[in-house]
Amino acid sequence: YLTGGSAGDVYVDNTEINVAAPIPVPTTPPLPNSDFSNGLNDGWVTSNTAQVTADATGKGVSPSADSSIKMVGRATASHLFSPKALVDAANTYDVSTHINAANQTAGEVGLYVDEYDAGENWISGKWVSMLSPGGTGVISSTYVPTSDLVVSVSLQVYLTGGSAGDVYVDNTEIN
């Protein structure tokens, strides 16, 4: 930039203005759209839109077996993040997700909990579990916030870089 009274030339190329989406307000459990009947909406986001998409081919489980989230294994890792849910550090919660990795031949798919403070700053995380390639089932565990500073969490389903094959995710919940 040039300030008033400055001499010289300024050349500008490839300028973009990006408007950030509003930050969703954390919700109380259960999470909205945890069965993905509304696709990748209601606060669910991904780190990689080319590899994580809504799927309506019947690879989910009850109560909405027609809908799930498809994660495609490639060289790059991909993540599915839930909306933030309010938690009380004094309580214990159940976290779970249904994974269909029957067509996955390499890599790791798993569940992780991201923890946030009152200012919505990430302060910690907690790995829950993973499912081996070729497996299908529910990943679940009890979850206790790691400190009194934790006021909200986001569930994260991850597929590691170098994974191969398709993975389907459904019924991702905290209760």
Side-chain angles (χ1 to χ4, degrees), residues 77-102:
S78 57
H79 305 85
L80 172 66
F81 300 98
S82 78
K84 289 180 184 160
L86 295 171
V87 293
D88 182 329
N91 291 343
T92 299
Y93 299 87
D94 294 316
V95 295
S96 64
T97 188
H98 183 274
I99 303 289
N100 175 347

Side-chain angles (χ1 to χ4, degrees), residues 12-168:
V12 177
D13 191 14
N14 296 331
T15 302
E16 287 184 39
I17 296 176
N18 295 312
V19 178
I23 297 172
V25 175
T27 183
T28 55
L31 296 171
N33 193 32
S34 63
D35 64 358
F36 305 109
S37 57
N38 197 24
L40 252 166
N41 291 301
D42 302 318
W44 292 86
V45 295
T46 178
S47 63
N48 190 328
T49 57
Q51 290 175 230
V52 182
T53 57
D55 185 80
T57 62
K59 301 279 194 313
V61 293
S62 182
S64 297
D66 289 342
S67 54
S68 62
I69 298 297
K70 180 180 180 180
M71 300 179 80
V72 179
R74 294 203 179 129
T76 306
S78 57
H79 305 85
L80 172 66
F81 300 98
S82 78
K84 289 180 184 160
L86 295 171
V87 293
D88 182 329
N91 291 343
T92 299
Y93 299 87
D94 294 316
V95 295
S96 64
T97 188
H98 183 274
I99 303 289
N100 175 347
N103 294 324
Q104 182 188 10
T105 57
E108 179 179 309
V109 61
L111 183 62
Y112 188 87
V113 179
D114 288 301
E115 299 178 314
Y116 298 87
D117 66 13
E120 298 199 24
N121 302 300
W122 184 91
I123 56 172
S124 185
K126 193 170 187 179
W127 183 77
V128 176
S129 189
M130 56 83 67
L131 189 67
S132 298
T136 297
V138 175
I139 295 174
S140 65
S141 181
T142 56
Y143 162 72
V144 178
T146 59
S147 81
D148 291 339
L149 297 176
V150 177
V151 299
S152 65
V153 298
S154 175
L155 301 184
Q156 175 189 148
V157 179
Y158 66 88
L159 185 60
T160 58
S163 292
D166 299 337
V167 171
Y168 297 88

